[in-house]
Amino acid sequence: MAAAESSTAPDGPRADAARDDAAEPAVPAPRPSDAAWSAPLDAFAAHLRYERALSPHTVRAYLGDVTSLLEHLRDPGDGGAAEPDLGRLDLGVLRAWLSAGRARGASRTTLARRAAAARTFTAWAARTGRTPTDAGARLASPRAHRRLPEVLRADQAAAALRAAALGAAEGDPVALRDHLLLELLYATGVRVSELCGLDVDDVDDARRTLRVLGKGGKERTVVYGTPAAAALDAWRRDGRPHLAVPTSPPALLLGARGGRLDPRIARTVVHDAAGAVPGAPDIAPHGLRHSAATHLLEGGADLRSVQELLGHASPATTQLYTHVSAERLRAIHDTAHPRA
């Protein structure tokens, strides 16, 4: 595993624009000036990163979508305009762009993301004076098909954590880290990016809480239990000092070379842990997060508390990740409904 651990790849360049669907003219039109076209996109990217505090993945996706939109906006008969005419952006253009994507086979989920990217772009363009009106204000999104990820049963999660604890008992620093990683993901339901972003000072041992920086730069506090506390103590005592180097950051979790743990390595750890449990589904960290939330609800936690733990802005999002077993629904109905 150590050989595979490296720092996270830097943000990739903006996605290449889609090819013009118009017939090729007799004399090929010159490509638009890269500098002129990149100016609004670079400004929009800065807005997404620094004002909206969106994740690098979301920024890349939105920039790719907006690049596609601007290529769609470009008139093939204008001889290759030096820069996009944002003043031509209207609701009809946006709908035609989404329709073209649907004709090329884009899924409903992809179309919903593209519509969200377009609305974000047109609102920003109108606010910054680049367009006279917000063309996307009335743009509707297709309802995305929301698929629940697979989850571990409670006994499967316990088996995976027991196996990780047995490996950590041998004292290998990486095994100690991996055990803590699994314990914290399951105990707190945090996202893998949030876990890898934790620093040593984000841990409050007295209250057994973590200070987590979530989506949009929103800070929240999550709690963990006794097993995670024991794994945390073992890692800080016998694991982290052996992986830390003079240039190590203050990260709670370190990679084999002493840098901040790469989320890709964390995903591999979760895959391997679930794969070692007979009959368990092959899950990613998001599946472990969903498992934790589901088990909380099945244990009697209320939806509002789980929403706070997961860092969801809306209860509707929590409901997506936290389906309740039919047995628990039956038990609640039998004890609470007057006509049960």
Side-chain angles (χ1 to χ4, degrees):
M1 179 184 297
E5 297 189 11
S6 60
S7 60
T8 305
D11 292 351
R14 198 169 53 245
D16 292 334
R19 291 185 179 274
D20 195 343
D21 292 332
E24 184 176 345
V27 179
R31 292 289 297 169
S33 165
D34 288 341
W37 272 57
S38 66
L41 288 169
D42 289 344
F44 181 56
H47 163 70
L48 297 178
R49 289 192 184 101
Y50 306 120
E51 296 181 35
R52 296 285 300 275
L54 298 182
S55 71
H57 175 80
T58 302
V59 172
R60 283 194 298 270
Y62 274 28
L63 288 180
D65 292 335
V66 173
T67 299
S68 170
L69 171 61
L70 296 186
E71 283 285 356
H72 178 86
L73 178 66
R74 183 161 65 96
D75 185 350
D78 64 3
E83 58 184 289
D85 181 6
L86 298 183
R88 289 170 45 207
L89 264 180
D90 58 23
L91 186 60
V93 168
L94 295 174
R95 286 174 173 169
W97 171 63
L98 290 177
S99 179
R102 183 172 60 227
R104 289 193 292 267
S107 68
R108 292 168 66 92
T109 300
T110 297
L111 292 174
R113 189 205 66 218
R114 289 179 181 174
R119 284 194 298 270
T120 302
F121 178 73
T122 58
W124 167 82
R127 190 175 66 254
T128 57
R130 289 173 169 83
T131 57
T133 59
D134 180 1
R138 293 187 294 118
L139 181 66
S141 292
R143 185 177 295 275
H145 294 299
R146 312 190 83 178
R147 182 176 59 86
L148 292 171
E150 291 189 282
V151 299
L152 299 176
R153 300 192 309 266
D155 62 305
Q156 291 172 334
L161 292 171
R162 280 196 302 270
L166 288 175
E170 299 180 4
D172 177 69
V174 172
L176 288 166
R177 181 206 64 196
D178 292 350
H179 179 216
L180 174 62
L181 184 152
L182 293 168
E183 286 283 3
L184 287 181
L185 282 175
Y186 183 60
T188 65
V190 295
R191 302 175 180 91
V192 66
S193 58
E194 295 170 343
L195 181 64
C196 292
L198 288 175
D199 287 339
V200 174
D201 291 342
D202 291 327
V203 180
D204 185 334
D205 293 295
R207 297 194 301 161
R208 287 213 303 254
T209 61
L210 302 174
R211 183 175 63 241
V212 176
L213 191 63
K215 288 186 175 181
K218 295 179 180 177
E219 185 178 295
R220 71 182 189 279
T221 299
V222 298
V223 298
Y224 58 88
T226 302
L232 180 60
D233 290 341
W235 158 248
R236 288 185 299 191
R237 182 184 63 248
D238 301 323
R240 193 180 187 281
H242 293 282
L243 295 185
V245 296
T247 57
S248 291
L252 176 62
L253 298 177
L254 298 177
R257 296 188 179 91
R260 186 179 294 275
L261 181 65
D262 189 326
R264 291 173 297 186
I265 301 300
R267 293 187 181 97
T268 299
V269 171
V270 175
H271 281 298
D272 291 347
V277 178
D282 180 19
I283 64 167
H286 188 72
L288 197 54
R289 168 177 164 87
H290 186 192
S291 300
T294 301
H295 298 163
L296 277 169
L297 281 181
E298 292 179 340
D302 63 276
L303 189 66
R304 184 71 181 90
S305 298
V306 176
Q307 177 192 347
E308 286 289 331
L309 185 68
L310 298 181
H312 288 156
S314 167
T317 307
T318 310
Q319 289 172 335
L320 169 67
Y321 293 99
T322 54
H323 63 282
V324 184
S325 68
E327 291 79 11
R328 174 153 177 75
L329 286 175
R330 171 58 63 186
I332 292 173
H333 184 275
D334 288 347
T335 58
H337 199 285
R339 304 286 289 180

